[in-house]
């Protein structure tokens, strides 16, 4: 009796704490939605901002964020795919595989602000490209490379060995094996990788605030050397200026838009992964 | 020369092989350039004395005096606070999801956590600057809400879903036989978890926590907006004083220091310290997680 | 040294894995257009023997082959051998059927398509021809474009065989192809093997003695990594020479199906 009661009490405490944790997550979402929702409207989404971003809409900020994340994935994806295939299809030695894994791993552990600093100097000063969207896309591409590659690689490593063996027994070369056996069954890893990469790039601020983003005035880029305004840096600037009510509403609106972009990308990647990884493992 | 590769010539004559080699080489090159840049650019500072740099709290760019003490202290305090705050919620959430939820609810829960774990740092930054710091200021009767404590709590909320979902993975990957055996011996589900599952999940759970801490240590924007930005080590472990952590320092001073001698070197030395810390945490964390899976 | 085009032979072969011998002292000249059964308890090296003939163990580190392995007039572990060409000539059927998640049709022509991308027009004919050869045509002709995973295990195994036949191998290696099948499907596969041996050299690893009795022309009895006994099937089953062979035969193999 006594034991059972202790058990129940402990269980109650665990439930309550878990519930409190969940509550906090919901509260975070709720605050952003509740404060951002009033700002959302068609004009807000389709108008350029004015008065240093404190008033007006988000058109170019949203566009800038999309340009940067799409550019990052366009640059990063082929590199990640190629380097993942090199490691899974061509490298036989375990030591070399471990070495490459360590490299990818340490790139993944780099705090994003350091990419911002290194990129700032490397592109901005040595190559004198200045603050531009291309620089930002390159830096973000390096940042999301480990994410994409890990996703592709883990999908490929989940592929049962027997499919490979059948392909080999039929006389396929390693590349034919990759194209006809591995990729048709592991494409979901590439898709989830690309989606997660997009989400990470969209949510990143520190790596681009010196390298790609203009805080106000910029519109859409007319050349490779133009900076773009982004949602991330827009929120950053408005958050520092907490006195003005209008700019606060705009900040919450931008946060809600950014949050939705990121959430939709992650959600899609989760759906793709759970749907198709099961199919491939049958 | 190619003995570590799949051995045959026809495959090496295939252009696709060389394309993958090129991309793999590119990744390698980027990593090498980046890491050597970090090392070489911070060298002038290390030559002046590693220990002095790490412990001194004086940071005076005008006089070329650089000490990382305040930032290291701030990083340490903020990360520890985040851990203390997030841990109970994350662990209880993980246990509940893995052991007591139905498979369907669990999937929904996991999905929600994984989505929340990807929320941008700048959104948390806005929450911290516009709400949390005001609440903390009012609640504790402070002059300013931007303190080490605020940053710690904000980071705790931020890494909560990351730790929760990773810890849940670790707990859930303990084979069902352990639970079944314990249950068949008459233990309650909770006791079965505590006695049979928890000990086996522990390394993985610690791994999850370390990975979460790695993320907290490297977060820039959220912290930058609420930490106060004062390079001091407050006396008597005062948590309600403004402070500074490494990423926030880097974010604030990079623009004025860019490429300019020792100031820039000092910032990169800070960056090297930060990288070393995150590498240590995430390295140990994923080692534990991987070991758990085998 | 040049060997005839149809030669399939081991000369003093030793295969080691990380220094541990898996097969040793292996010398055997396989008979053309016949079924050679490789009998032996599990772990005796049957699979390794088959896989060494199409160099399928190349990917595995620590695998070493010493001695000479001759396939179709070529020493296949000689540097400069085109291993992909070799594997076209030597087809392999695995223990459990492995079907790609695609239609029946796509599965049959999978290998052919890769080797003959220019003969696109012939694909449907090729598919029909080899499905017929594998005695599967009548069962699948109405669902050629349906997912192949819906076929039964036995049908899947015959589909794997058809897929391999479509590459037109001269030698067919079969690693316990009926071990995971029900008796009816096993029968069908055995009949199939019988009809295939006219044009191809077949090596069949099995530990099912009854099966070996039914279809083998020649027998190799592998025990502990070396050839313990060999000969014509009739002689082997009537008059086994060695003690271990007799025990194996009386015990009915290690796991009769």
């Amino acid at each position: 009796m006594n034991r059972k009661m202790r058990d129940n009490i402990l269980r109650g405490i665990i439930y309550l704490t878990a519930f409190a944790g969940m509550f906090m997550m919901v509260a975070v979402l709720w605050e952003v939605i509740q404060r951002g929702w009033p700002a959302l409207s068609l004009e807000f989404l389709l108008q350029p901002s004015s008065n240093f971003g404190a008033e007006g809409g988000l058109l170019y900020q949203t566009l800038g964020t999309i340009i940067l994340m799409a550019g990052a994935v366009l640059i990063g994806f082929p590199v990640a795919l190629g380097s993942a295939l090199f490691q899974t299809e061509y490298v036989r030695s375990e030591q070399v595989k471990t070495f490459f894994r360590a490299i990818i791993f340490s790139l993944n552990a780099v705090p994003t602000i350091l990419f911002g600093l290194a990129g700032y100097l490397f592109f901005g000063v040595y190559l004198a490209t200045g603050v531009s969207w291309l620089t930002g896309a390159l830096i973000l591409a390096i940042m999301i490379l480990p994410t994409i590659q890990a996703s592709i690689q883990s999908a490929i490593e989940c592929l049962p060995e027997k499919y490979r063996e059948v392909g080999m027994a039929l006389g396929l070369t390693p590349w034919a094996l990759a194209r006809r056996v591995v990729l048709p069954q592991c494409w979901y890893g590439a898709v989830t990788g690309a989606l997660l990469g997009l989400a990470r790039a969209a949510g990143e601020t520190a790596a681009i605030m010196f390298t790609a983003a203009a805080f106000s005035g910029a519109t859409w880029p007319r050349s490779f050397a133009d900076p773009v305004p982004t949602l991330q840096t827009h929120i950053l600037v408005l958050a520092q200026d907490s006195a003005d009510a209008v700019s606060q509403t705009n900040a919450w609106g931008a946060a809600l838009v950014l949050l939705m972009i990121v959430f939709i990308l992650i959600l899609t990647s989760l759906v793709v992964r759970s749907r198709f990884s099961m199919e491939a493992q049958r | 020369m190619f003995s570590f590769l799949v051995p045959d010539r026809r495959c090496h004559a295939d252009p696709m092989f060389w394309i993958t080699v090129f991309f793999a080489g590119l990744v390698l090159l980027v990593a090498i350039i980046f890491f050597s840049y970090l090392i070489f650019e911070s060298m002038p500072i290390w030559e002046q004395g590693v220990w002095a740099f790490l412990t001194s709290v004086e940071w005076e760019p005008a006089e070329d005096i650089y000490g990382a003490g305040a930032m290291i202290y701030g990083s340490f305090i903020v990360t520890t606070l985040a851990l203390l705050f997030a841990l109970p919620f994350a662990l209880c959430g993980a246990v509940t999801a893995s052991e007591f939820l139905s498979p369907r609810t669990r999937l929904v829960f996991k999905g929600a956590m994984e989505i929340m774990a990807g929320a941008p740092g700048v959104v948390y930054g806005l929450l911290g600057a516009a709400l949390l710091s005001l609440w903390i200021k009012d609640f504790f009767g402070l002059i300013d809400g931007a303190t080490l404590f605020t940053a710690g709590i904000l980071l705790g909320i931020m890494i909560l879903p990351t730790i929760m979902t990773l810890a849940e993975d670790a707990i859930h990957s303990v084979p069902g036989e352990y639970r079944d055996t314990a249950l068949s011996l008459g233990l309650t589900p909770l006791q079965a978890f505590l006695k049979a599952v928890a000990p086996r999940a522990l390394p993985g759970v610690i791994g999850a926590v370390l990975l979460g801490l790695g993320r907290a240590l490297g977060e820039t924007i959220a912290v930058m907006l609420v930490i106060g930005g004062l390079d001091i080590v407050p006396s008597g472990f005062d948590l309600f004083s403004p402070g500074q952590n490494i990423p926030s320092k880097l974010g604030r001073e990079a623009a004025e220091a860019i490429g300019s001698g020792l100031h820039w070197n000092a910032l990169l030395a800070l960056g090297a310290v930060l990288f070393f810390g995150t590498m240590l945490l995430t390295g140990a964390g994923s080692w534990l997680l991987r070991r758990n899976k085998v | 040294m040049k060997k005839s085009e149809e030669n399939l032979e081991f000369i003093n072969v030793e295969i080691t894995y990380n220094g541990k011998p898996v097969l040793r002292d292996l010398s055997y000249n396989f008979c053309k257009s016949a079924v050679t059964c490789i009998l032996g308890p599990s772990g005796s090296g049957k699979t390794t023997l088959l896989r060494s003939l199409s160099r399928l163990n190349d990917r595995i580190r620590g695998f070493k082959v010493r001695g000479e392995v001759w396939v179709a007039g070529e020493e296949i572990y000689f540097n400069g051998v085109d291993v992909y060409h070799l594997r076209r000539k030597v087809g392999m059927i695995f223990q459990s059927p492995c079907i790609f998640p695609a239609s029946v049709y796509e599965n049959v022509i999978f290998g052919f398509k890769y080797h003959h991308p220019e003969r696109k027009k012939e694909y449907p004919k090729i598919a029909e021809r080899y499905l017929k050869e594998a005695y599967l045509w009548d069962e699948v002709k109405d669902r050629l474009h349906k997912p192949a995973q819906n076929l039964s295990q036995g049908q899947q195994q015959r589909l794997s065989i058809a897929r391999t036949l479509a590459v037109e191998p001269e030698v067919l290696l079969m690693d316990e192809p009926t071990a995971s099948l029900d008796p009816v499907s096993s029968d069908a596969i055995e009949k199939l093997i019988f009809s295939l041996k006219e044009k191809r050299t077949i090596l069949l690893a099995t530990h099912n003695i009854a099966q070996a009795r039914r279809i083998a022309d020649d027998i190799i009895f592998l025990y502990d990594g070396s050839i313990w006994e060999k000969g014509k099937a009739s002689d082997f089953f009537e008059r086994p020479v060695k003690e271990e062979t007799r025990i194996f035969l009386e015990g009915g193999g290690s796991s009769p199906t």
Side-chain angles (χ1 to χ4, degrees):
Chain A
M1 184 60 199
N2 208 352
R3 271 178 88 139
K4 208 170 169 192
M5 236 168 69
R6 249 188 17 219
D7 206 273
N8 281 339
I9 291 172
L10 194 54
R11 216 164 135 162
I13 294 174
I14 290 179
Y15 281 162
L16 266 181
T17 319
F19 183 78
M22 284 308 288
F23 177 78
M24 249 186 296
M25 299 291 97
V26 175
V28 165
L29 275 185
W30 173 245
E31 288 297 341
V32 177
I33 293 173
Q34 176 227 340
R35 282 159 205 273
W37 191 254
L40 284 199
S41 67
L42 215 54
E43 297 96 75
F44 184 64
L45 293 176
L46 295 180
Q47 263 176 12
S49 55
S50 54
N51 189 16
F52 299 103
E55 286 164 33
L58 287 178
L59 176 63
Y60 292 120
Q61 280 81 2
T62 315
L63 218 60
T65 295
I66 291 172
I67 288 173
L68 281 184
M69 71 181 189
V73 168
L74 283 180
I75 299 166
F77 184 80
V79 180
L81 183 65
S83 126
L85 285 177
F86 175 72
Q87 285 159 64
T88 57
E89 305 304 308
Y90 291 108
V91 176
R92 189 171 61 148
S93 148
E94 274 309 311
Q95 287 97 305
V96 175
K97 279 189 186 176
T98 312
F99 171 71
F100 264 101
R101 231 174 259 143
I103 291 286
I104 289 296
F105 181 85
S106 35
L107 275 182
N108 202 24
V110 172
T112 56
I113 179 82
L114 291 185
F115 284 126
L117 286 195
Y120 189 17
L121 192 78
F122 186 74
F123 294 108
V125 177
Y126 292 161
L127 298 186
T129 51
V131 179
S132 92
W133 67 271
L134 190 62
T135 307
L138 276 168
I139 290 170
L140 288 178
I142 296 172
M143 189 190 92
I144 62 177
L145 200 91
T147 310
I148 306 179
Q149 179 164 345
S151 176
I152 297 174
Q153 224 163 321
S154 73
I156 293 179
E157 274 155 16
C158 279
L159 182 73
E161 185 65 17
K162 58 177 189 174
Y163 291 110
R164 249 172 226 286
E165 300 222 305
V166 169
M168 265 161 59
L170 290 172
L172 272 62
T173 58
W175 173 249
L177 206 61
R179 200 174 77 80
R180 289 163 194 264
V181 178
V182 176
L183 288 181
Q185 295 197 60
C186 299
W187 61 271
Y188 72 91
V191 173
T192 48
L195 288 167
L196 288 178
L198 282 173
R200 266 200 81 186
E204 180 55 37
T205 313
I208 58 163
M209 61 184 180
F210 309 121
T211 52
F215 285 97
S216 67
T219 55
W220 51 287
R222 286 174 184 79
S223 76
F224 288 131
D226 279 357
V228 286
T230 66
L231 287 173
Q232 301 95 295
T233 46
H234 189 63
I235 301 168
L236 177 65
V237 171
L238 295 182
Q240 284 166 330
D241 165 33
S242 54
D244 182 22
V246 186
S247 72
Q248 282 298 291
T249 314
N250 266 7
W252 288 108
L256 183 56
V257 172
L258 183 64
L259 208 58
M260 285 201 299
I261 293 176
V262 172
F263 280 4
I264 287 170
L265 287 169
I266 301 178
L267 186 66
T268 322
S269 85
L270 288 179
V271 171
V272 170
R273 193 180 67 195
S274 63
R275 253 262 175 67
F276 294 98
S277 70
M278 279 170 202
E279 190 166 288
Q281 257 146 61
R282 258 209 310 226
Chain B
M1 174 183 165
F2 290 128
S3 69
F4 64 89
L5 297 172
V6 173
D8 70 81
R9 287 163 191 201
R10 189 156 134 202
C11 145
H12 296 167
D14 185 346
M16 284 318 295
F17 168 72
W18 293 106
I19 291 176
T20 65
V21 168
F22 172 73
F23 283 135
L26 206 60
V27 174
L28 201 61
L29 191 72
V30 166
I32 290 173
I33 290 180
F34 179 76
F35 294 129
S36 40
Y37 175 71
L38 207 56
I39 293 168
F40 284 119
E41 282 290 303
S42 58
M43 237 354 148
I45 294 295
W46 304 129
E47 276 163 2
Q48 291 184 358
V50 177
W51 189 246
F53 176 73
L54 295 181
T55 50
S56 154
V57 291
E58 226 177 314
W59 182 282
E60 295 289 345
E63 291 151 45
D64 258 356
I65 299 173
Y66 303 100
M71 279 66 83
I72 293 175
Y73 173 85
S75 279
F76 178 76
I77 290 294
V78 164
T79 315
T80 312
L81 271 173
L83 171 68
L84 293 179
F85 181 77
L87 206 55
F89 301 111
L91 291 189
C92 291
V95 172
T96 308
S98 169
E99 305 296 307
F100 305 122
L101 290 184
S102 72
R104 245 205 134 77
T105 329
R106 172 177 172 262
L107 270 188
V108 174
F109 179 86
K110 286 280 290 177
M113 283 306 113
E114 269 169 49
I115 291 175
M116 279 308 286
V122 71
V123 174
Y124 282 98
L126 179 63
L127 277 162
L131 300 174
L132 187 67
S133 60
L134 296 187
W135 294 340
I136 284 177
K137 179 179 128 187
D138 293 343
F139 191 81
F140 294 100
L142 307 171
I143 307 156
D144 189 356
T147 64
L148 289 168
F149 182 78
T150 320
I153 301 299
L154 189 64
L155 273 184
I157 299 173
M158 200 173 148
I159 60 172
L160 179 56
T162 308
I163 298 183
M164 207 190 278
T165 180
L166 288 174
E168 205 274 346
D169 283 337
I171 296 172
H172 206 74
S173 70
V174 174
E177 295 105 68
Y178 289 110
R179 290 179 192 87
D180 296 345
T181 313
L183 289 176
S184 74
L185 291 172
L187 273 71
T188 61
L190 181 65
Q191 288 301 324
F193 168 75
L194 291 175
K195 299 264 154 59
V197 179
R200 275 157 196 92
L202 192 63
V205 171
I206 295 174
V209 171
L210 293 180
L211 282 183
L213 284 185
R215 189 178 171 202
L217 193 59
E219 173 58 34
T220 309
I221 300 300
V223 174
M224 203 168 118
L225 285 168
V226 296
I227 199 168
L230 261 185
D231 305 344
I232 52 163
V233 175
S235 55
F237 285 106
D238 181 10
L239 298 178
F240 295 103
S241 142
Q244 185 78 287
N245 75 346
I246 298 176
S248 152
K249 182 75 178 170
L250 296 178
R252 278 161 196 266
E253 285 196 9
E256 60 183 85
I258 177 100
S260 69
L262 210 55
H263 192 183
W264 184 252
N265 300 138
L267 284 184
L268 282 174
L270 272 181
V273 173
L274 181 65
F275 174 63
F276 185 72
T278 52
M279 194 63 194
L280 220 58
L281 287 174
T282 50
S286 48
W287 182 73
L288 284 169
L289 275 185
R290 227 176 316 126
R291 215 186 62 156
N292 197 53
K293 270 190 189 126
V294 177
Chain C
M1 193 163 57
K2 186 85 186 150
K3 296 266 178 177
S4 96
E5 278 292 299
E6 286 145 356
N7 181 280
L8 184 66
E9 187 177 6
F10 287 108
I11 302 174
N12 290 327
V13 170
E14 183 189 54
I15 300 180
T16 54
Y17 179 57
N18 287 336
K20 271 197 322 242
V22 184
L23 286 171
R24 55 177 171 269
D25 204 14
L26 201 66
S27 288
Y28 191 86
N29 196 344
F30 289 92
C31 238
K32 179 184 169 272
S33 298
V35 178
T36 306
C37 266
I38 297 147
L39 271 177
S42 29
S44 57
K46 300 189 296 281
T47 303
T48 309
L49 189 151
L50 290 188
R51 290 170 66 97
S52 72
L53 282 169
S54 68
R55 289 187 48 177
L56 276 177
N57 286 336
D58 279 11
R59 272 170 61 89
I60 302 167
R61 268 213 141 195
F63 237 94
K64 280 236 165 59
V65 178
R66 249 174 257 134
E68 295 172 27
V69 184
W70 289 83
V71 176
E74 263 191 313
E75 205 286 289
I76 62 168
Y77 284 90
F78 174 70
N79 251 346
V81 163
D82 184 344
V83 46
Y84 308 106
H85 190 65
L86 165 76
R87 287 179 187 147
R88 277 178 68 177
K89 291 189 290 192
V90 183
M92 176 102 183
I93 308 295
F94 298 89
Q95 185 166 354
S96 59
C98 171
I99 293 300
F100 294 115
S103 68
V104 176
Y105 175 78
E106 284 295 330
N107 266 287
V108 190
I109 61 163
F110 180 85
F112 187 85
K113 197 170 163 182
Y114 167 66
H115 292 296
H116 306 284
E118 74 290 346
R119 287 161 68 179
K120 210 170 172 152
K121 284 206 188 97
E122 295 170 48
Y123 292 169
K125 258 186 16 227
I126 292 288
E128 180 176 343
R129 178 171 151 208
Y130 288 103
L131 282 171
K132 276 182 174 156
E133 200 163 331
Y135 297 121
L136 192 59
W137 175 253
D138 292 331
E139 292 161 56
V140 299
K141 64 181 179 212
D142 300 324
R143 42 175 170 159
L144 275 182
H145 298 284
K146 300 267 160 60
Q149 284 117 316
N150 298 342
L151 300 180
S152 75
Q153 283 279 304
Q155 289 170 327
Q156 287 191 9
Q157 189 63 304
R158 275 177 284 157
L159 181 57
S160 313
I161 295 176
R163 183 176 60 196
T164 303
L165 290 178
V167 188
E168 296 175 329
E170 293 153 28
V171 180
L172 212 51
L173 312 172
M174 297 182 142
D175 188 4
E176 308 195 21
T178 60
S180 59
L181 304 184
D182 58 284
V184 180
S185 312
S186 294
D187 276 356
I189 303 249
E190 281 178 23
K191 255 197 352 236
L192 170 60
I193 295 174
F194 220 78
S195 72
L196 290 176
K197 77 173 178 185
E198 274 174 36
K199 279 182 281 176
R200 297 170 191 89
T201 307
I202 296 176
L203 270 62
L204 176 78
T206 181
H207 50 217
N208 180 342
I209 293 168
Q211 184 175 58
R213 267 182 205 275
R214 284 193 296 271
I215 53 176
D217 297 306
D218 297 314
I219 299 278
I220 298 176
F221 179 63
L222 273 186
Y223 186 79
D224 198 24
S226 55
I227 297 183
W228 214 249
E229 210 168 326
K230 60 191 172 188
K232 288 277 159 220
S234 47
D235 296 342
F236 178 83
F237 287 113
E238 300 311 315
R239 292 177 290 280
V241 183
K242 300 216 173 152
E243 183 62 26
E244 286 82 356
T245 320
R246 215 168 293 142
I247 293 170
F248 179 75
L249 289 178
E250 276 159 17
S254 38
S255 67
T257 333

